[in-house]
């Protein structure tokens, strides 16, 4: 059933949302859905403005859908902007969100941004990736207690239950004026090739089933997402130790015969060996040179620093327990190495954020061998704590 306002006694809960626990209580309020576009009339909506994309209505197994052929190879941006003549009123309900069906028939994944703008010009930007030859229901929360929670996370586990996949929060205003939504836009940025998607069942969902415990126990003893399973997830100390041994063996046998000890190109031009990594112009082009004088190329994940891979545990210490920083010390705290509070400060420890503390299934004690992984931050970039005690799950032992 695709048309009109659909009343639903309870949303399907057979598909668990990411980060949700099957043991957590679920709200019992009835959910309703108000259809915005179902494309069953076979006409591209007059409110749709396409940029660097061709749109059409196509037949599907369920009826009809909007197809967008994104001309992303030759264009940095593509977008589908839905802007009604009169702003939408999406109010009603304690929990509200926009949901739609998105499919990707192609052989490459598609990253899409969703921008929603209210009458005052406030915008919320979210993003998701539609896998190759995949898709389903994707939704963006617009109202609810989860949007008010300051967790310190980029985005939170799913508060909604059984609806689909949540668009990941990026930036903007989480709480918009739902009385006057001016437009919403779906688009891509910097895709290397043309892609195609289909969109259907664009609707507002009110009062879906929710999980009040969606933030509790979400981090396990290894610092992993506790409530979902995934390939490579560590489930025991023995498994972690075996993986470490296998990784060392793999790295030892990974060196290529035509590479120097630093990864330089031994069969290429040989320049002066300075003992340092450097740059030099070769045949009119700048190149990187390893310490032995061989050209090299490096690629990898940006901005990896073991020094600042810590996370706030929810604990702090009473004033006077923490050694004050030297006023002349200009080294950032997260570059100075881990600072374990002295045992004399332990009686002054207290829970400063119950929300953060309850995220962890287990935190070591100071007497535990992993107690050396604790740190202290006198200032924090964002989140519910301005200072406190973090832990480094990834610090070497």
């Amino acid at each position: 059933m695709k048309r009109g306002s659909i009343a639903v006694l309870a949303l399907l809960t057979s598909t668990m949302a990411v980060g949700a626990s099957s043991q957590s209580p679920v709200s019992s309020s009835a959910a309703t859905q108000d259809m915005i576009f179902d494309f069953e009339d076979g006409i591209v909506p007059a409110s749709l403005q396409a940029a660097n994309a061709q749109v059409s209505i196509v037949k599907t197994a369920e009826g009809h859908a909007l197809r967008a052929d994104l001309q992303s190879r030759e264009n940095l941006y593509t977008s589908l902007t839905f802007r009604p003549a009169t702003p939408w009123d999406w109010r009603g309900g304690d929990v509200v969100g926009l949901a739609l069906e998105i499919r990707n028939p192609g052989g490459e994944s598609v990253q899409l941004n969703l921008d929603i703008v209210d009458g005052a010009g406030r915008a919320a930007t979210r993003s998701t990736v539609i896998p190759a030859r995949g898709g389903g229901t994707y939704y963006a929360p617009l109202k609810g207690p989860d949007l008010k929670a300051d967790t310190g996370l980029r985005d939170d586990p799913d508060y909604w239950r059984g609806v689909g996949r949540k668009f990941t929060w990026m930036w903007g205003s989480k709480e918009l004026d739902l009385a006057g939504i001016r437009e919403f836009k779906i688009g891509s940025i910097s895709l290397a090739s043309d892609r195609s998607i289909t969109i259907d069942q664009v609707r507002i969902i009110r009062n879906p089933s929710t999980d009040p415990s969606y933030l509790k126990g979400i981090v396990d003893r290894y610092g992993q997402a506790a409530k979902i399973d995934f390939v490579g997830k560590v489930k025991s100390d023995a498994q972690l130790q075996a993986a470490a041994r296998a990784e060392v063996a793999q790295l030892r046998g990974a060196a290529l015969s035509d590479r120097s000890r630093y990864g330089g190109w031994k069969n290429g031009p040989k320049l002066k060996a300075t003992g340092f990594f450097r740059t030099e112009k070769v045949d009119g082009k700048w190149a990187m040179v390893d310490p032995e004088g061989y050209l090299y190329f490096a690629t990898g994940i940006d901005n990896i620093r073991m020094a600042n891979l810590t996370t706030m545990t929810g604990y702090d210490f009473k004033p006077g327990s923490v050694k004050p920083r030297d006023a002349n010390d200009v080294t950032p705290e997260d570059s100075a190495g881990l600072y374990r509070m002295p045992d004399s400060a332990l009686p002054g420890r207290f829970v400063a954020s119950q929300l953060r503390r309850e995220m962890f299934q287990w935190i070591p004690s100071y007497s535990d061998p992993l107690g050396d992984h604790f740190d202290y931050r006198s200032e924090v970039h964002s989140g519910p704590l301005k200072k406190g005690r973090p832990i480094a799950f990834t610090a070497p032992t």
Side-chain angles (χ1 to χ4, degrees):
M1 188 176 192
K2 294 185 67 174
R3 290 183 177 272
S5 176
I6 305 172
V8 184
L9 293 177
L11 291 178
L12 295 177
T13 56
S14 59
T15 302
M16 299 299 294
V18 174
S21 169
S22 60
Q23 301 300 316
S24 302
V26 179
S27 67
S28 58
S29 60
T32 62
Q33 303 187 36
D34 288 338
M35 194 66 65
I36 302 174
F37 300 111
D38 64 7
F39 309 106
E40 285 304 292
D41 58 7
I43 300 173
V44 174
S47 60
L48 171 59
Q49 300 175 11
N52 301 321
Q54 295 292 327
V55 296
S56 60
I57 302 298
V58 296
K59 290 185 177 181
T60 67
E62 293 77 25
H64 292 82
L66 177 74
R67 179 184 173 104
D69 296 311
L70 308 179
Q71 300 165 345
S72 43
R73 179 180 178 182
E74 299 297 332
N75 297 282
L76 181 63
Y77 297 96
T78 72
S79 65
L80 308 173
T81 301
F82 296 86
R83 184 181 296 126
T86 302
W88 286 296
D89 186 347
W90 291 350
R91 290 175 298 176
D94 297 322
V95 178
V96 181
L98 176 69
L100 62 162
E101 305 298 309
I102 308 177
R103 299 284 175 183
N104 171 18
E108 298 179 278
S109 63
V110 182
Q111 181 172 359
L112 297 174
N113 282 354
L114 171 67
D115 299 284
I116 303 175
V117 184
D118 67 13
R122 291 185 296 265
T125 298
R126 294 173 170 84
S127 186
T128 194
V129 175
I130 316 299
R133 300 182 181 88
T137 301
Y138 296 81
Y139 72 94
L142 297 172
K143 179 184 177 183
D146 54 319
L147 298 181
K148 298 178 182 294
D150 185 4
T151 63
L153 303 177
R154 172 63 156 179
D155 198 7
D156 302 333
D158 287 357
Y159 176 58
W160 293 26
R161 294 289 297 270
V163 175
R165 183 179 181 87
K166 182 174 68 169
F167 279 90
T168 300
W169 172 255
M170 299 299 287
W171 54 74
S173 301
K174 284 190 174 182
E175 296 184 85
L176 302 175
D177 180 6
L178 299 188
I181 297 298
R182 189 171 71 194
E183 66 180 43
F184 70 89
K185 178 170 63 177
I186 299 169
S188 68
I189 302 175
S190 300
L191 296 180
S193 61
D194 293 344
R195 314 292 169 89
S196 296
I197 59 172
T198 62
I199 297 173
D200 198 6
Q201 298 283 288
V202 182
R203 61 204 186 272
I204 294 299
I205 296 181
R206 296 182 176 88
N207 297 327
S209 294
T210 57
D211 178 6
S213 300
Y214 74 111
L215 291 175
K216 294 183 179 180
I218 62 175
V219 182
D220 69 13
R221 64 183 293 115
Y222 300 105
Q224 306 169 120
K227 295 183 178 182
I228 60 173
D229 204 1
F230 50 86
V231 175
K233 185 173 184 178
V234 176
K235 299 180 179 179
S236 69
D237 290 355
Q239 179 190 354
L240 180 61
Q241 292 162 356
R245 290 192 295 268
E247 182 178 12
V248 170
Q250 181 185 33
L251 292 174
R252 284 175 176 167
L256 301 176
S257 59
D258 64 343
R259 296 292 187 266
S260 73
R261 61 181 296 192
Y262 299 104
W265 182 27
K266 292 195 333 186
N267 296 336
K270 179 68 166 64
L271 307 179
K272 182 180 178 180
T274 65
F276 297 94
F277 288 97
R278 61 187 178 86
T279 59
E280 183 176 328
K281 221 169 192 179
V282 180
D283 296 332
K285 296 181 179 180
W286 284 103
M288 295 185 290
V289 185
D290 77 7
E292 295 181 339
Y294 297 106
L295 305 185
Y296 78 97
F297 176 80
T299 183
I301 300 173
D302 184 31
N303 204 28
I304 292 296
R305 296 170 58 202
M306 296 300 292
N308 60 5
L309 295 181
T310 59
T311 184
M312 301 301 291
T313 60
Y315 286 101
D316 198 1
F317 291 84
K318 292 181 179 178
S321 303
V322 182
K323 178 182 177 181
R325 293 198 68 194
D326 187 332
N328 297 318
D329 187 357
V330 296
T331 304
E333 278 188 310
D334 61 5
S335 297
L338 299 179
Y339 171 67
R340 185 186 187 280
M341 296 290 291
D343 291 345
S344 59
L346 300 186
R349 188 192 70 166
F350 66 97
V351 176
S353 171
Q354 191 67 31
L355 180 150
R356 289 290 301 191
R357 175 60 190 91
E358 290 182 348
M359 289 183 181
F360 300 90
Q361 291 186 345
W362 176 84
I363 295 177
S365 65
Y366 271 91
S367 60
D368 190 281
L370 296 179
D372 289 339
H373 288 211
F374 287 118
D375 197 6
Y376 192 82
R377 293 283 185 267
S378 59
E379 56 184 29
V380 178
H381 178 273
S382 57
L385 290 166
K386 301 302 181 185
K387 58 185 182 67
R389 186 198 71 175
I391 190 170
F393 282 100
T394 55
T397 55

